[in-house]
Amino acid sequence: MIELKNVSLVFDGRQVLTDLSLVLPEKGILLITGPSGCGKTSVARMILGLLSPTEGEVSVGDLKIAAVFQEDRLVPTLTALENVALVSDTKEAEKRLSQVGLGDALELLPEELSGGMKRRVAIARALAFSGDLLLLDEAFTGLDEELAEKILKELCEEFKDRLIIAVTHRPELFSGREYTEIKM
């Protein structure tokens, strides 16, 4: 179970969050929405353990969290296949790259990939990691609606009995799906 208790965050001298308390569901889709700068990514980073609150506490237990960050975070000297295989084996990496439509780009370096292709490598890596939950921070940036919808369908199927947390400016991508929304 993930819980944020009375979380406040001051970042660069600015109050970003004040006394936020949440208990997240164990499965399903949870959207975190709101305007830029309201603390959505900060909440995601706290769940991942990459940022500590100024006050309060964040508890995630011993969950293994797969994440797609706003930035693709690919190793520039590794191929698409090698970037995904960092969290799995080569066979699983090939499967996940094919799943996101990159079966023919296995040997390409990040500099040889378009922005949307890099994004899909990052998504494939999260799928290959196979966490207890999937955290998506603006994961569909750079993907057209049709491709985003196709990949989202794959993610929802893959994580249907686990939790997906999606920080997004595009909640319309999730229309037609059951989800809970937290507006920041």
Side-chain angles (χ1 to χ4, degrees):
M1 176 176 76
I2 298 175
E3 184 174 8
L4 286 79
K5 277 187 182 176
N6 307 107
V7 169
S8 293
L9 178 68
V10 176
F11 193 74
D12 286 338
R14 187 176 142 256
Q15 188 78 36
V16 178
L17 298 170
T18 304
D19 201 30
L20 176 66
S21 293
L22 298 170
V23 176
L24 305 186
E26 292 185 20
K27 65 181 184 176
I29 300 171
L30 176 71
L31 302 185
I32 301 175
T33 64
S36 293
C38 72
K40 300 180 304 293
T41 293
S42 295
V43 169
R45 290 175 48 88
M46 284 189 277
I47 290 169
L48 289 166
L50 300 173
L51 181 64
S52 297
T54 307
E55 293 179 15
E57 68 181 73
V58 178
S59 171
V60 297
D62 60 354
L63 294 174
K64 180 178 163 186
I65 303 173
V68 179
F69 297 92
Q70 286 184 17
E71 313 82 22
D72 300 314
R73 298 187 181 197
L74 302 179
V75 179
T77 57
L78 299 181
T79 65
L81 180 64
E82 291 166 333
N83 265 284
V84 177
L86 286 171
V87 300
S88 65
D89 58 40
T90 301
K91 185 177 179 181
E92 180 70 10
E94 286 179 15
K95 172 185 165 188
R96 298 309 185 165
L97 285 163
S98 291
Q99 188 175 5
V100 297
L102 292 175
D104 59 348
L106 302 178
E107 297 306 318
L108 297 179
L109 292 169
E111 68 183 20
E112 300 170 300
L113 300 170
S114 70
M117 292 170 82
K118 290 176 189 175
R119 176 90 326 207
R120 289 186 281 158
V121 172
I123 292 168
R125 186 176 51 206
L127 283 168
F129 185 69
S130 188
D132 299 315
L133 73 92
L134 177 63
L135 194 147
L136 306 169
D137 190 357
E138 299 294 350
F140 303 105
T141 300
L143 301 181
D144 64 47
E145 293 294 319
E146 184 178 327
L147 186 55
E149 176 60 38
K150 178 184 181 295
I151 291 173
L152 180 58
K153 182 179 179 183
E154 294 277 340
L155 295 174
C156 288
E157 181 60 30
E158 184 88 19
F159 281 82
K160 68 182 173 203
D161 294 323
R162 295 176 272 175
L163 179 62
I164 296 174
I165 301 171
V167 173
T168 185
H169 286 290
R170 295 169 64 186
E172 66 278 1
L173 283 175
F174 294 83
S175 65
R177 292 180 171 82
E178 191 174 318
Y179 63 82
T180 302
E181 183 174 1
I182 296 172
K183 294 182 181 186
M184 303 282 295

